[in-house]
Amino acid sequence: MISWQPFWNLMKERGISTYNLEYEYMLNPAEISRLKHNHNFTMSTLDRYCGLFHCEVQELIVYVPD
């Protein structure tokens, strides 16, 4: 399973709330919900997030064996 926990850790370190994600970074509330529940995302979404948050892929996701 792919976990977005590193993403949430990064957001916490940077002081970015879900409110900020929606209103400052213009993420759709449904997309934020999908992040919270570790739903699937495309590679283009990962690419967009890396650019948006100026980070590497490993700072956003991690593989967790089932």
Side-chain angles (χ1 to χ4, degrees), residues 37-51:
H37 294 96
N38 291 318
H39 288 157
N40 294 333
F41 279 86
T42 64
M43 294 298 284
S44 62
T45 300
L46 282 173
D47 182 56
R48 183 168 55 98
Y49 284 13
C50 287

Side-chain angles (χ1 to χ4, degrees), residues 4-15 59-60 62:
W4 283 86
Q5 190 57 48
F7 171 79
W8 295 111
N9 295 341
L10 181 68
M11 295 301 100
K12 185 176 180 180
E13 288 171 13
R14 294 184 181 185
E59 294 176 87
L60 298 178
V62 65

Side-chain angles (χ1 to χ4, degrees), residues 1-3 6-7 11 15 17 27 30 37 40-41 51 55-56 58 61:
M1 170 176 88
I2 299 297
S3 170
F7 171 79
M11 295 301 100
S17 68
L27 297 185
H37 294 96
N40 294 333
F41 279 86
C55 63
E56 300 291 325
Q58 60 271 24
I61 60 172

